[in-house]
Amino acid sequence: MCPIRWPAPRLPPPCWGAPPPPRARRPPPPLGLHTVGDLLHHYPRRYEERGQLTHLADLPMDEHVTVVAQVADARLHTFASSRAPRGKGQRLEVTITDGSGRLQLVFFGAGVHKPHKELLPGTRAMFAGKVSVFNRRLQLAHPAYELLRGDAEETVETWAGALIPIYPATAKLESWKIGKALQTVLPSAQEAADPLPGPLREGRGLVTLPEALLKIHRPHTKADIEEARARLKWDEAFVLQVALARRRHADAQLPAVPRRPRTDGILAAFDDRLPFTLTEGQRKVSEEIFADLATDHPMHRLLQGEVGSGKTMVALRAMLAVVDAGGQAAMLAPTEVLAQQHHRSVTEMMGDLAQGGMLGGADDATKVVLLTGSMGAAARRQALLDLATGEAGIVIGTHALIEDKVQFHDLGLVVVDEQHRFGVEQRDALRGKGKQPPHLLVMTATPIPRTVAMTVFGDLETSVLDQLPAGRSPIASHVVPAADKPHFLARAWERVREEVEKGHQAYVVCPRIGDEEDGAKAKKKSPEDEAEKRPPLAVLDTAEQLARGPLAGLRVDVLHGRMPPDDKDAVMRRFAAGEVDVLVATTVIEVGVNVPNATAMVIMDADRFGVSQLHQLRGRVGRGSAPGLCLLVTEMPEASPARQRLNAVASTLDGFELSRIDLEQRREGDVLGQAQSGTRSSLRMLAVIDDEEVIAEAREEAARIVASDPDLERLPALRTALDALLDEEREQYLEKG
């Protein structure tokens, strides 16, 4: 068995909600080709066709052709140009003929030397290139050519019909050098250990791995390429899904305390007081979670849902079920604004059920505490004491929850909100605070396509909330082309005033804050900004201009991430109380902020945000009985990709459809988090949107194989492939999942 190292797909945390990455001018990352296996799995990104053999009399314009002809004439000319002012520029003109017509070939500069020696009159060769016109004559500029010697007929047939692989390359390692290296090692492909079990491969009509490697690098036909791709996609999907299935299997062996709610406990009391009926989706997802909580191994569930679908309500009921069972629940939020917002909304929803041990608290009440890094010493000490004694059944906090000082009496459930904003180490540190592994519920308000959920969150069971609660109003979204139609922007501010006159409130969102430090960062970070010669609009500047201009007389306030926490909380409280008409903010309001009276949102420089982020922001309005309005302001021209992205957001409220659009507009690796590490995406063949069927089938096959043979003792080649996937860093990623 050949010791060909399997190239390991990378598994960093996913990165959602950010705009498509700018076309940075940094050099491409190194190719990471260290072994024969790396080289064999460095697949062509496309194939050049030399074209069909063409008669010189029938040459089509602007197409790649291959012709077989004889050199009739070759002349070297010198000329003066800006690069060679002393008349030392060189141009080689070669005239070829095949008996049906004549064609001129042109070579310039240093490229003239080799053909000048080889393309002598009477020489027969094949020439491949793109047909163009110069001085009313057809020509091929710098064509590739192959001199015909020996068995000319065979050479013509094989050379002209060949599919030429073009590899991902760097400036120092060109595609043709990679191709030559592959030619040397390709015989080794015959010894490559095949990770796919024989029955699986045969049942799906897939070629063997050695055959797939030969066909991907040296295809004779396009059918060869398709056969190879179909097989190699399966390898990528299957090996990754086996890793995730083994993670799920290992989790199922861990011990956990079953947490079953009491029929007469705090959850029942909470449900009895609800002033509305849960949606069918909320009830169904809650049942899935309660079933998981009742088992003696840890729940690992992803709860994803549309903006405003009621995920917080589902999470709260799960936390109350754990409190019923004598445990504690912790909710981890990415920002202090969101943690405070969650704490406010949870205590409001629970009423006296959140006043455990306090005067006026209900019989079944527990304490709900907040823990953030900016809390005063006395409040912090009290919160830590309540957690350690078990008096607080629920704690909501930021990364401050992870600190060593924080001790729980009996941590039974960890709820992670906006999962993509936390590192795996942070989540793992919180989960490690339980006496036994606690149950885990991961929430995201960013809809994730099913295949991405299976690929990135493949070790989690998935629940989806796609039904909005009753009473939610529709949100109308429109693109405001500020550069093309300035009167549209003026009308946008009029609409904001109209909403305020009706007693409602509005958000204005800007990409940056606007103080000096922020400005410096923006210049450093965004090559696109420099190209567009205007920095993104800022909260502080915009708020001042609006208060003096189109929104004069309205109560305008600002909110951004660098404000002191108490100031942020005070602004949000004033806005929630209706004491602020227009809140000019950064994306700090993107998730979790719930002010039902806010009906309008104007997003400035909307093209600076990603599709999913715009959808998140838009979800802050229309949360009450009045209809919502979202205006996407941009200066991008109508035909630009940025405008097409905004038009897509304006055209649908379906977050799952938008998530597909978002994914299609990015490189695969960025979606899976590769941009952060600076490496190329390891999904060389697999496309998570296009190959949904392959991923789903690979997941089923992986689950079946791991269930019957968890240690893969009967599949040593698969185990070898898995060992390469799970190097130390990736093993930690899956462990901390």
Side-chain angles (χ1 to χ4, degrees), residues 71-270:
V71 177
D73 185 36
R75 296 184 183 184
L76 187 64
H77 303 274
T78 57
F79 60 92
S81 68
S82 57
R83 290 187 180 181
R86 297 181 182 176
K88 292 187 178 179
Q90 291 187 312
R91 180 177 74 252
L92 176 66
E93 293 179 358
V94 178
T95 304
I96 59 174
T97 179
D98 67 348
S100 71
R102 297 169 78 85
L103 179 67
Q104 183 167 285
L105 317 178
V106 185
F107 302 86
F108 291 98
V112 305
H113 303 304
K114 185 169 181 279
H116 188 223
K117 290 179 182 175
E118 294 182 338
L119 297 180
L120 303 173
T123 303
R124 194 162 178 263
M126 285 181 293
F127 305 90
K130 188 175 181 180
V131 181
S132 59
V133 172
F134 182 72
N135 281 344
R136 300 183 185 179
R137 295 172 65 190
L138 295 181
Q139 70 170 24
L140 299 181
H142 283 283
Y145 64 89
E146 180 87 349
L147 302 179
L148 292 179
R149 302 185 180 97
D151 186 347
E153 290 305 315
E154 181 186 354
T155 310
V156 168
E157 186 178 338
T158 55
W159 196 84
L163 292 161
I164 311 303
I166 306 298
Y167 292 93
T170 66
K172 293 182 178 178
L173 187 62
E174 299 98 331
S175 172
W176 66 269
K177 287 182 182 174
I178 295 171
K180 283 200 167 185
L182 268 157
Q183 192 71 39
T184 303
V185 303
L186 207 49
S188 306
Q190 296 292 352
E191 302 167 40
D194 197 328
L196 285 193
L200 187 159
R201 179 176 54 74
E202 291 158 13
R204 297 183 179 277
L206 299 171
V207 299
T208 63
L209 179 59
E211 188 179 346
L213 292 172
L214 289 170
K215 286 185 172 180
I216 202 72
H217 292 298
R218 291 293 175 268
H220 295 299
T221 64
K222 290 182 180 178
D224 284 351
I225 299 171
E226 290 311 307
E227 276 189 3
R229 280 181 171 159
R231 163 60 210 253
L232 296 169
K233 281 180 181 182
W234 252 94
D235 282 8
E236 289 183 4
F238 180 68
V239 175
L240 178 55
Q241 290 301 330
V242 166
L244 295 168
R246 294 184 77 226
R247 179 70 262 147
R248 292 194 300 275
H249 184 272
D251 286 339
Q253 314 309 310
L254 291 174
V257 178
R259 310 283 181 173
R260 297 182 182 88
R262 303 198 320 266
T263 53
D264 58 347
I266 188 172
L267 175 60
F270 175 76

Side-chain angles (χ1 to χ4, degrees), residues 555-575:
R555 297 169 296 177
V556 178
D557 212 337
V558 300
L559 181 70
H560 58 76
R562 275 210 292 278
M563 291 168 63
D566 289 346
D567 291 357
K568 281 190 281 195
D569 195 37
V571 170
M572 278 311 304
R573 285 182 183 277
R574 287 202 302 275
F575 189 63

Side-chain angles (χ1 to χ4, degrees), residues 538-549 556 558 584:
V539 165
L540 301 179
D541 301 337
T542 302
E544 186 182 341
Q545 290 164 12
L546 291 175
R548 286 203 321 258
V556 178
V558 300
V584 184

Side-chain angles (χ1 to χ4, degrees), residues 339-362:
Q340 289 160 347
Q341 176 77 28
H342 276 318
H343 183 255
R344 265 198 304 276
S345 60
V346 165
T347 51
E348 285 167 10
M349 283 192 280
M350 289 177 63
D352 58 2
L353 291 171
Q355 297 172 8
M358 300 161 67
L359 211 57

Side-chain angles (χ1 to χ4, degrees), residues 135-453:
N135 281 344
R136 300 183 185 179
R137 295 172 65 190
L138 295 181
Q139 70 170 24
L140 299 181
H142 283 283
Y145 64 89
E146 180 87 349
L147 302 179
L148 292 179
R149 302 185 180 97
D151 186 347
E153 290 305 315
E154 181 186 354
T155 310
V156 168
E157 186 178 338
T158 55
W159 196 84
L163 292 161
I164 311 303
I166 306 298
Y167 292 93
T170 66
K172 293 182 178 178
L173 187 62
E174 299 98 331
S175 172
W176 66 269
K177 287 182 182 174
I178 295 171
K180 283 200 167 185
L182 268 157
Q183 192 71 39
T184 303
V185 303
L186 207 49
S188 306
Q190 296 292 352
E191 302 167 40
D194 197 328
L196 285 193
L200 187 159
R201 179 176 54 74
E202 291 158 13
R204 297 183 179 277
L206 299 171
V207 299
T208 63
L209 179 59
E211 188 179 346
L213 292 172
L214 289 170
K215 286 185 172 180
I216 202 72
H217 292 298
R218 291 293 175 268
H220 295 299
T221 64
K222 290 182 180 178
D224 284 351
I225 299 171
E226 290 311 307
E227 276 189 3
R229 280 181 171 159
R231 163 60 210 253
L232 296 169
K233 281 180 181 182
W234 252 94
D235 282 8
E236 289 183 4
F238 180 68
V239 175
L240 178 55
Q241 290 301 330
V242 166
L244 295 168
R246 294 184 77 226
R247 179 70 262 147
R248 292 194 300 275
H249 184 272
D251 286 339
Q253 314 309 310
L254 291 174
V257 178
R259 310 283 181 173
R260 297 182 182 88
R262 303 198 320 266
T263 53
D264 58 347
I266 188 172
L267 175 60
F270 175 76
D271 285 348
D272 288 343
R273 299 173 182 208
L274 281 178
F276 52 83
T277 306
L278 294 174
T279 66
E280 187 182 334
Q282 285 174 317
R283 282 198 302 273
K284 176 174 170 286
V285 170
S286 290
E287 308 256 337
E288 292 171 349
I289 291 171
F290 292 155
D292 284 355
L293 290 174
T295 60
D296 56 7
H297 58 83
M299 169 177 75
H300 288 84
R301 186 165 288 277
L302 169 68
L303 171 57
Q304 58 167 316
E306 276 289 11
V307 176
S309 58
K311 291 180 301 300
T312 305
M313 174 60 69
V314 171
L316 176 55
R317 295 184 75 237
M319 291 193 287
L320 293 176
V322 169
V323 172
D324 259 349
Q328 294 169 289
M331 177 182 275
L332 186 60
T335 65
E336 291 206 354
V337 167
L338 188 51
Q340 289 160 347
Q341 176 77 28
H342 276 318
H343 183 255
R344 265 198 304 276
S345 60
V346 165
T347 51
E348 285 167 10
M349 283 192 280
M350 289 177 63
D352 58 2
L353 291 171
Q355 297 172 8
M358 300 161 67
L359 211 57
D363 291 342
D364 294 310
T366 187
K367 251 193 183 179
V368 179
V369 301
L370 176 69
L371 189 63
T372 65
S374 64
M375 288 173 68
R380 183 180 179 77
R381 263 196 311 272
Q382 185 60 51
L384 291 174
L385 182 63
D386 289 339
L387 289 177
T389 61
E391 191 156 335
I394 296 175
V395 59
I396 298 169
T398 56
H399 57 274
L401 283 174
I402 297 165
E403 293 172 6
D404 291 340
K405 293 178 188 172
V406 181
Q407 299 296 325
F408 289 86
H409 177 67
D410 181 13
L411 180 61
L413 171 65
V414 173
V415 178
V416 180
D417 193 20
E418 291 308 309
Q419 185 271 349
H420 62 275
R421 298 188 177 206
F422 290 99
V424 288
E425 292 82 7
Q426 293 170 304
R427 297 197 301 278
D428 188 52
L430 184 53
R431 287 169 62 187
K433 291 183 179 292
K435 293 170 185 171
Q436 285 194 336
H439 299 282
L440 175 67
L441 179 64
V442 168
M443 296 199 302
T444 177
T446 305
I448 304 168
R450 176 170 170 258
T451 45
V452 178

